[in-house]
Amino acid sequence: EVQLQASGGGLVQSGGSLRLSCAASGFIFSDYAIGWFRQAPGKEREGVSCISSIPGSTYYTDSVKGRFTVSRDNAKNTVFLQMDNLKPEDTAVYYCNARTTGSSFQYWGQGTQVTVSS
C-alpha cells in the first residue's frame, strides 16, 4: 500500500522557519516525483513544490520561490521542504504526494498544519 506521511508543521511567527518531512512507503521511492501541496480554509488546494525522480530537477510556485527549498533522500524514502521567511499567507495544511512519469498525483494522505502568525 502506498503511504505518504507529512510531518513537521507547527506555529511560528512571521519571518520564522519550519522544515517539513514526507516519509514514504509501499512503492519504489526513487521512481517517483514527490510534490508538496497546501490548502488553506476556504481556498483551493495549490501546488507548492515538486522534486523529480531525476536529481536536480525542482519546481516551485512563484509565491514561495527564494523562500522554500525541496530536497530528497532516496536512501531514507524521505522528502524535505525547508520553509524560510514564512508569511501569514503560508498558513495552510501541507500535504505530500507522489507520481511516476505520465501519471497524476493521486496518493493523498494526512497533512501537517502550518500556522504563521503576524
Side-chain angles (χ1 to χ4, degrees), residues 1 3-4 11 13 15 27 32 45 49 53 55 59-60 75 89-90 97-98 102 108 111:
E1 180 182 355
Q3 293 186 350
L4 299 105
L11 174 64
Q13 290 190 297
F27 60 99
Y32 285 72
R45 183 167 56 204
S49 181
S53 60
Y59 307 89
Y60 303 92
E89 49 264 46
D90 294 319
N97 211 326
W108 299 105

Side-chain angles (χ1 to χ4, degrees), residues 35-55:
W36 285 96
F37 302 81
R38 67 186 180 187
Q39 186 166 29
K43 296 183 178 180
E44 296 182 351
R45 183 167 56 204
E46 66 172 335
V48 176
S49 181
C50 182
I51 184 164
S52 174
S53 60
I54 303 300

Side-chain angles (χ1 to χ4, degrees), residues 8-113:
L11 174 64
V12 298
Q13 290 190 297
S14 181
S17 297
L18 284 173
R19 187 195 191 209
L20 305 185
S21 297
C22 176
S25 63
F27 60 99
I28 303 175
F29 184 76
S30 60
D31 288 345
Y32 285 72
I34 306 297
W36 285 96
F37 302 81
R38 67 186 180 187
Q39 186 166 29
K43 296 183 178 180
E44 296 182 351
R45 183 167 56 204
E46 66 172 335
V48 176
S49 181
C50 182
I51 184 164
S52 174
S53 60
I54 303 300
S57 299
T58 58
Y59 307 89
Y60 303 92
T61 191
D62 286 345
S63 63
V64 308
K65 286 181 178 178
R67 301 189 298 119
F68 291 9
T69 304
V70 65
S71 61
R72 68 189 295 163
D73 186 338
N74 287 345
K76 297 181 179 179
N77 284 13
T78 304
V79 169
F80 304 97
L81 185 67
Q82 178 67 43
M83 306 187 296
D84 297 319
N85 192 24
L86 284 162
K87 304 175 180 179
E89 49 264 46
D90 294 319
T91 295
V93 177
Y94 284 70
Y95 304 85
C96 57
N97 211 326
R99 69 166 177 84
T100 57
T101 301
S103 70
S104 62
F105 289 105
Q106 62 186 120
Y107 302 110
W108 299 105
Q110 295 296 315
T112 186
Q113 177 71 49

